[in-house]
């Protein structure tokens, strides 16, 4: 049973930064982040493959950066210039075989429990 354990959420002022981390109990081909704001559907944010390829949704390009420590099965999301509209529960996601593109489009095998990010 694959487990994804997230950390790093919290509250930050507009323009501030946060880093999220997610550790997988098993090696995955792709890992990444989704988010869900109150009253909205869950949406993809950014993903990364073991080969280093990354994908971002347009609304975070230039502000967020995804990276990974493949040896430790950990993925990071560095979030800069945070805005109130970034407030959401952020979920770690993983795919055993799917590419970073497919994962970002919703081909998720495993979810983390979610971590709250609040920008005020």
């Amino acid at each position: 049973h694959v487990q994804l354990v997230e950390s790093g959420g919290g509250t930050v002022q507009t323009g501030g930064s946060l880093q999220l981390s997610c550790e997988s109990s098993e090696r995955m081909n792709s890992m990444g982040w989704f988010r869900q704001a109150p009253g909205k559907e869950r949406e993809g944010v950014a993903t990364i493959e073991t080969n280093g390829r990354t994908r971002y949704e347009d609304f975070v390009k230039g502000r967020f950066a995804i990276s990974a420590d493949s040896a430790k099965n950990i993925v990071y999301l560095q979030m800069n210039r945070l805005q109130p509209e970034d407030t959401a529960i952020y979920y770690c996601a993983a795919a055993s075989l799917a590419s970073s593109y497919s994962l970002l489009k919703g081909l998720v095998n495993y979810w983390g429990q979610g971590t709250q990010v609040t920008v005020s």
Side-chain angles (χ1 to χ4, degrees), residues 22-27 31 68-76:
C22 173
E23 181 173 3
S24 173
S25 60
E26 295 183 19
R27 185 175 178 82
M31 294 181 67
D69 183 337
S70 296
K72 297 181 180 179
N73 298 331
I74 298 175
V75 63
Y76 304 96

Side-chain angles (χ1 to χ4, degrees), residues 48-118:
I48 187 168
E49 279 181 70
T50 52
N51 62 12
R53 180 172 297 173
T54 59
R55 304 280 183 175
Y56 295 92
E57 289 293 354
D58 287 345
F59 55 79
V60 298
K61 285 182 179 178
R63 298 191 300 127
F64 292 8
I66 191 168
S67 60
D69 183 337
S70 296
K72 297 181 180 179
N73 298 331
I74 298 175
V75 63
Y76 304 96
L77 185 68
Q78 178 65 41
M79 303 184 293
N80 301 320
R81 305 205 314 268
L82 284 162
Q83 303 297 314
E85 52 266 35
D86 295 315
T87 295
I89 299 174
Y90 283 70
Y91 294 91
C92 182
S96 301
L97 299 175
S99 68
S100 54
Y101 174 82
S102 295
L103 178 61
L104 190 61
K105 296 310 176 186
L107 197 64
V108 179
N109 294 128
Y110 306 101
W111 292 101
Q113 78 282 2
T115 185
Q116 178 70 46
V117 171
T118 301

